[in-house]
Amino acid sequence: MSSTTTLKKEGDPTGNSGDVLPSDGLKAGLKNRHLSMIAIGGVIGAGLFVGSGGGIAKAGPAILISYALVGAMVVFVMRMLGEMAAASPNSGSFSAYADRALGRWAGFSIGWLYWFFWVVVLAVEATAGAAILEGWIPAVPQWAWALIVMAVLTATNLGSVASYGEFEFWFAGIKVVAIGAFVVVGLLAVFGVLPGSDNPGAGFAHLTDAGGFFPNGYGAVLTGVLMVVFSFMGSEIVTLAAGESEDPRKAVTRATNSVIWRIGVFYLGSIFIVLTLLPWNDKSITEKGSYVAALDSIGIAHAGTIMEVIVLTAVLSCLNSGLYTASRMAFSLGERGDAPKAFAKVNSRGVPVAAILGSTVFGFVAVYFNYAFKDTVFNFLLNSSGAIALFVWLVICFTQLRMRGILVREAPEKLTVKMWLFPWLTWATAALIMFVIGYMFVDDANREVVTLSTLVAGAVVVVGLVLDFRRKRTAPQA
């Protein structure tokens, strides 16, 4: 772990000083099939299954445009991140790249904000999973279920990176198969060729037969964007995991190139099926959930239970990946001197135990707050982390703008993945993200979230700038 790699020799652009890069000690325990499924499953969160009904109720069929806009934004961000990650796979991903391209304060700030986001997600997902499990086995209280699922997945992550990859492979596999089957069966029902279907199959008529494609006006598309944007968080996880894979550059390239069809099939495809099976204003969409309502309309028995199993799988997958992601970001921060040094240590299996336990402890504390102080402390944590996904994507845009020049100068042969229409599309994506953030400030439902998230982000940036200033003052003069 103490070995170093010369930047000039390796051509790696992520070294802080431009001279040496520390060897991180993580082991390449993730197989290509693990990375492939992590990449596919990373864009399928529980929010897709649970939250899509609310978006449909607000925007009607036009929610498809909302999903398409956010999907395009994620595709472009992933392309930028893929360019940097393919050139230099790193467990700190965009935080390490921001460190190099924008300054030490930027890597510090976005790294800790991202860690904060995921440890809060741990509590949210643990509670959601516990609610489902308590419904099945009410003898065990919900808080106990939350602790059980947290403990089990912590043990999984402590075992080895391969055990995380194996669990995620099967979790993500269930989600992928479920949505794939939903799209195929749904399409057959839409056109009235599914044997035994209770749905008459109206073709595409439901897209316009209940007030048109924009029943609530064009502005509802923007409202829909705010409602669906957070369900896309997680697509960037594959770039963190790539550093522990057998062939990082190949894995990142493959994941980046496939993100378009993944979003197209899983998000746009499945929501399209819901909207063509039922009128958008059908009450069952909000009462039962969009997917359960669609399955019920076909006549699938026990649709609610089936969807509960799938949602629980998505929740466990998110928990598993959230703990992995938070720990690897903590590890990277520790390695760069922006977190306790213990976080950068790994055991004989290449597992950063302290980083995992540190993230888990905060996750357990957040779970406690969710039960003891739901409307005060936990509500603050939830709201103050809500817009961080957008901040992360924005930082990726600005980092890539600078990083391209660094790569061209220092290691042009590593530019195997390139952002399209650089720099214009990068600037356009950044502008779209800033527009969404700005719109949140004037939207009543999101104003508190973006305000608190901005205040927390501002505080972390100030800390990062102060630490950076102190480092420069105390650094020995050349």
Side-chain angles (χ1 to χ4, degrees), residues 174-264:
I174 292 172
K175 293 188 294 185
V176 169
V177 170
I179 293 188
F182 177 79
V183 171
V184 172
V185 171
L187 275 175
L188 294 175
V190 165
F191 294 106
V193 293
L194 180 68
S197 173
D198 294 344
N199 193 297
F204 301 144
H206 288 321
L207 293 176
T208 55
D209 65 2
F213 192 76
F214 297 93
N216 296 327
Y218 297 105
V221 172
L222 292 177
T223 303
V225 165
L226 299 186
M227 296 185 73
V228 307
V229 66
F230 303 109
S231 64
F232 281 84
M233 192 64 174
S235 54
E236 68 288 331
I237 291 175
V238 68
T239 63
L240 280 81
E244 295 176 82
S245 68
E246 298 169 340
D247 189 345
R249 288 184 174 85
K250 183 178 179 181
V252 168
T253 302
R254 183 182 298 167
T256 303
N257 291 337
S258 66
V259 70
I260 297 176
W261 72 259
R262 288 186 276 130
I263 288 175

Side-chain angles (χ1 to χ4, degrees), residues 73 77 390-391 393-394 397 428-438:
M73 189 164 67
V77 169
L390 291 167
F391 298 158
W393 294 343
L394 190 60
C397 292
T429 305
L432 178 58
I433 296 170
M434 287 189 285
F435 174 79
V436 172
I437 294 172

Side-chain angles (χ1 to χ4, degrees), residues 63-107:
I63 194 68
L64 288 170
I65 297 179
S66 304
Y67 273 103
L69 285 172
V70 179
M73 189 164 67
V74 172
V75 167
F76 298 148
V77 169
M78 279 297 294
R79 187 72 183 184
M80 297 176 220
L81 188 53
E83 175 180 299
M84 297 181 286
S88 177
N90 191 293
S91 61
S93 188
F94 50 83
S95 173
Y97 309 140
D99 197 315
R100 170 64 171 158
L102 304 178
R104 189 78 175 270
W105 64 271

Side-chain angles (χ1 to χ4, degrees), residues 101-399:
L102 304 178
R104 189 78 175 270
W105 64 271
F108 171 92
S109 302
I110 206 63
W112 275 115
L113 286 171
Y114 193 67
W115 177 88
F116 173 58
F117 171 86
W118 279 110
V119 292
V120 173
V121 166
L122 291 180
V124 174
E125 299 295 339
T127 304
I132 295 173
L133 290 167
E134 185 190 30
W136 295 348
I137 309 175
V140 180
Q142 189 179 120
W143 63 266
W145 277 121
L147 295 181
I148 289 170
V149 295
M150 284 279 288
V152 169
L153 293 176
T154 298
T156 299
N157 277 265
L158 286 172
S160 68
V161 68
S163 61
Y164 154 73
E166 200 63 33
F167 267 72
E168 191 57 23
F169 177 81
W170 292 105
F171 285 152
I174 292 172
K175 293 188 294 185
V176 169
V177 170
I179 293 188
F182 177 79
V183 171
V184 172
V185 171
L187 275 175
L188 294 175
V190 165
F191 294 106
V193 293
L194 180 68
S197 173
D198 294 344
N199 193 297
F204 301 144
H206 288 321
L207 293 176
T208 55
D209 65 2
F213 192 76
F214 297 93
N216 296 327
Y218 297 105
V221 172
L222 292 177
T223 303
V225 165
L226 299 186
M227 296 185 73
V228 307
V229 66
F230 303 109
S231 64
F232 281 84
M233 192 64 174
S235 54
E236 68 288 331
I237 291 175
V238 68
T239 63
L240 280 81
E244 295 176 82
S245 68
E246 298 169 340
D247 189 345
R249 288 184 174 85
K250 183 178 179 181
V252 168
T253 302
R254 183 182 298 167
T256 303
N257 291 337
S258 66
V259 70
I260 297 176
W261 72 259
R262 288 186 276 130
I263 288 175
V265 172
F266 298 132
Y267 278 86
L268 287 172
S270 61
I271 297 301
F272 175 80
I273 293 300
V274 172
L275 289 167
T276 47
L277 284 175
L278 293 165
W280 70 270
N281 56 357
D282 191 302
K283 291 182 179 179
S284 64
I285 291 178
T286 51
E287 291 174 355
K288 298 179 181 179
S290 54
Y291 291 85
V292 174
L295 291 173
D296 276 344
S297 77
I298 297 173
I300 302 294
H302 310 294
T305 302
I306 293 171
M307 194 50 58
E308 276 190 342
V309 172
I310 295 170
V311 170
L312 179 62
T313 302
V315 164
L316 294 176
S317 171
C318 190
L319 261 174
N320 194 38
S321 289
L323 183 54
Y324 172 84
T325 305
S327 66
R328 283 350 184 239
M329 186 57 73
F331 169 84
S332 178
L333 288 167
E335 194 182 37
R336 286 177 274 145
D338 290 331
K341 291 182 179 179
F343 284 2
K345 294 181 179 179
V346 299
N347 62 15
S348 59
R349 297 185 303 276
V351 175
V353 175
I356 292 173
L357 293 178
S359 302
T360 302
V361 166
F362 195 97
F364 276 117
V365 171
V367 169
Y368 169 74
F369 285 150
N370 194 16
Y371 288 103
F373 307 103
K374 184 177 180 67
D375 297 327
T376 52
V377 179
F378 186 74
N379 190 52
F380 170 79
L381 292 176
L382 193 61
N383 286 333
S384 60
S385 65
I388 286 175
L390 291 167
F391 298 158
V392 167
W393 294 343
L394 190 60
V395 168
I396 290 172
C397 292
F398 292 133
T399 300

